[in-house]
Amino acid sequence: MLASASIGASHVVQSTRAGAEYGLALIMIIVLAGILKYPAFRAGPHYAIATGESLLTAYRRQGKFVLSLFIFIILSGIIVLQAAVTITAAALLENLLRIPSNLLLSSGVLTAFCILIVGMGRFRWLDIINKVLLLALCTATIFVSILIWAKIPWQTFTLIPDFSSFNVTDYLFMAALIGWMPTAVDAAVLNSMWTLAREKDTQYHPTLKESFLDFDIGYIGTIILAFFFVFLGAGAMFNGNIHFSHNSTAFVEQFINLYTMQLGAWTRPFIDFCAFAVMFSTLLMIIDGFPRILRGLMVIPFVPLNNDKLLKLSEHVPLAGKQYYMIAAGIAVVSIAFLAFMSQSLVVMVDFATGLSFVTAPFLAWFNYKALLSPRIPEHLRPSPAFMVYSGICVVLLAVLALYYLWIRLV
């Protein structure tokens, strides 16, 4: 679930742009993002399996300040994140159907369709189909990268980018790249909720070892796949000094052309469909996930902490149909209204959303670090001291990077 949600704008937009603009110079920045965020993301399934609670309840147990700050972070990011994913999916849909561009209308129709699908409970089989299509696009991306292997500017690869040549715009893009690589840290909360939902649905309680194996395969796979999107942008655009357009429709056309120029025009319908399916899957995950969080925020803060039975019941009771439609529709209306002001600039919107995720990452990583120290985790299921040291170092480094980002923005 986390991998499906991750392989979206961060890969299609940001990773491909990184290759087109910088060659392979930012490959290690992607690696750094994966390393620094790993403990925060793994805390999701770890805490859920060990306690039977989501990270949202863990934040509740950490106090009103932590929960209030999380509410602020999630509410400030939900609209921008959903808007960015929606406009990308809408642009790909218009490209697929060859219809005149009206991104606001397409975004509204697409969002309503996704809400209807999730609300009707048809998400499971669509998720299976989208996993197949995701695999197809990933395979095509790797294959095209191999075809243009000789064109990839390998000389631009470096373990440490030449920061002396970077300007403010370059630093801001690096922050945006890290912000959603592989996705925003608040997705760890969703992952903990999905872990509990899957356990209830399958009636199987996995071990931590099984859960970590599942998580590691998805997490590491998304990072490696990001490399190939960088290769794609670098091999097809960097040497020709070609830049991506900030316009949503033009950006999508350029992205699709990266494939068809190598595979042939006959592959265009296939690539169009797979690219849209990937973003459609990401949008489905978001439209399923955000109402889960908001519904939890409406219930969990008001449940007494000493009532474990009621807390777990509030975690596992499914979101009622009418309640889901009201929450999902509310988020959709506000995000579409936001799109009305930003609909023509996909790149600017994505950069803003990813920058916001970059700044809030240290707070969420710290909350997740404290969750793993919770006495509610049985002794034999607690993380090792070495892992907690690694996790603490990652929190500090994320905080330092966020402060530096703010300094650049404000100075």
Side-chain angles (χ1 to χ4, degrees):
M1 296 285 280
L2 181 65
S4 296
S6 299
I7 302 172
S10 62
H11 290 62
V12 172
V13 180
Q14 299 296 68
S15 297
T16 314
R17 277 178 65 202
E21 302 287 338
Y22 301 92
L24 306 185
L26 300 186
I27 282 284
M28 295 309 295
I29 298 298
I30 292 175
V31 174
L32 176 66
I35 292 173
L36 293 183
K37 290 184 177 182
Y38 178 83
F41 278 110
R42 203 181 79 162
H46 191 151
Y47 188 82
I49 295 298
T51 67
E53 300 175 349
S54 72
L55 284 175
L56 190 58
T57 299
Y59 298 165
R60 166 83 165 94
R61 294 187 183 280
Q62 290 174 27
K64 292 181 179 179
F65 173 76
V66 169
L67 186 62
S68 299
L69 187 55
F70 174 72
I71 291 173
F72 171 78
I73 290 172
I74 200 69
L75 291 181
S76 63
I78 276 180
I79 302 304
V80 183
L81 196 154
Q82 181 159 322
V85 173
T86 301
I87 195 174
T88 307
L92 285 165
L93 177 63
E94 291 179 346
N95 181 76
L96 172 65
L97 299 179
R98 297 291 187 273
I99 58 178
S101 180
N102 188 332
L103 287 173
L104 208 56
L105 177 61
S106 298
S107 296
V109 172
L110 188 59
T111 302
F113 182 61
C114 288
I115 291 174
L116 185 62
I117 289 173
V118 176
M120 291 173 59
R122 304 297 181 186
F123 177 75
R124 183 183 300 177
W125 64 266
L126 277 171
D127 183 44
I128 294 173
I129 294 173
N130 279 318
K131 281 184 172 64
V132 174
L133 295 171
L134 175 62
L135 178 62
L137 182 64
C138 293
T139 303
T141 302
I142 295 171
F143 184 61
V144 171
S145 298
I146 294 173
L147 288 180
I148 62 173
W149 204 255
K151 299 179 182 179
I152 296 175
W154 298 103
Q155 72 280 3
T156 60
F157 173 76
T158 176
L159 291 176
I160 301 177
D162 182 14
F163 295 118
S164 62
S165 64
F166 282 14
N167 55 33
V168 173
T169 302
D170 298 321
Y171 284 114
L172 294 181
F173 176 74
M174 281 196 299
L177 182 64
I178 295 174
W180 271 5
M181 185 52 61
T183 188
V185 177
D186 49 32
V189 178
L190 278 177
N191 199 27
S192 67
M193 291 179 164
W194 283 328
T195 299
L196 295 176
R198 180 174 59 182
E199 182 178 325
K200 182 182 178 184
D201 186 57
T202 61
Q203 295 297 308
Y204 176 72
H205 183 75
T207 64
L208 276 183
K209 185 176 180 180
E210 291 171 332
S211 181
F212 289 161
L213 177 62
D214 180 62
F215 170 79
D216 288 345
I217 291 173
Y219 188 85
I220 296 172
T222 60
I223 299 297
I224 293 175
L225 183 62
F227 296 165
F228 285 93
F229 278 94
V230 173
F231 295 159
L232 182 63
M237 300 181 74
F238 180 79
N239 287 326
N241 198 30
I242 304 171
H243 303 281
F244 276 113
S245 169
H246 283 208
N247 177 272
S248 308
T249 303
F251 181 97
V252 165
E253 183 68 23
Q254 288 177 295
F255 177 76
I256 297 298
N257 286 340
L258 294 180
Y259 293 87
T260 57
M261 284 189 300
Q262 301 299 324
L263 299 177
W266 66 273
T267 63
R268 173 121 199 173
F270 167 74
I271 298 299
D272 285 347
F273 186 62
C274 288
F276 167 70
V278 168
M279 290 307 304
F280 181 68
S281 176
T282 302
L283 185 59
L284 274 176
M285 295 289 183
I286 288 175
I287 288 177
D288 172 80
F290 284 162
R292 287 180 187 269
I293 290 182
L294 292 187
R295 183 260 185 189
L297 291 175
M298 293 176 184
V299 177
I300 291 174
F302 306 101
V303 179
L305 287 176
N306 58 359
N307 194 331
D308 287 350
K309 184 177 180 180
L310 189 57
L311 272 171
K312 289 191 177 182
L313 181 64
S314 66
E315 293 270 21
H316 290 280
V317 171
L319 190 61
K322 185 180 294 185
Q323 192 179 42
Y324 167 76
Y325 285 121
M326 289 178 62
I327 297 174
I331 298 173
V333 168
V334 179
S335 65
I336 296 299
F338 180 80
L339 279 176
F341 295 97
M342 298 288 293
S343 61
Q344 292 304 311
S345 188
L346 170 65
V347 170
V348 172
M349 189 185 306
V350 171
D351 281 351
F352 179 79
T354 51
L356 184 64
S357 297
F358 180 77
V359 172
T360 58
F363 295 100
L364 296 171
W366 170 243
F367 299 160
N368 293 358
Y369 173 86
K370 292 204 299 180
L372 293 181
L373 294 175
S374 170
R376 300 191 65 79
I377 298 180
E379 186 71 34
H380 67 286
L381 297 179
R382 292 180 183 176
S384 67
F387 181 84
M388 293 309 296
V389 170
Y390 161 48
S391 181
I393 292 173
C394 290
V395 172
V396 172
L397 291 178
L398 283 171
V400 170
L401 290 173
L403 288 173
Y404 185 62
Y405 170 81
L406 291 174
W407 181 77
I408 291 175
R409 293 286 304 216
L410 299 175
V411 175

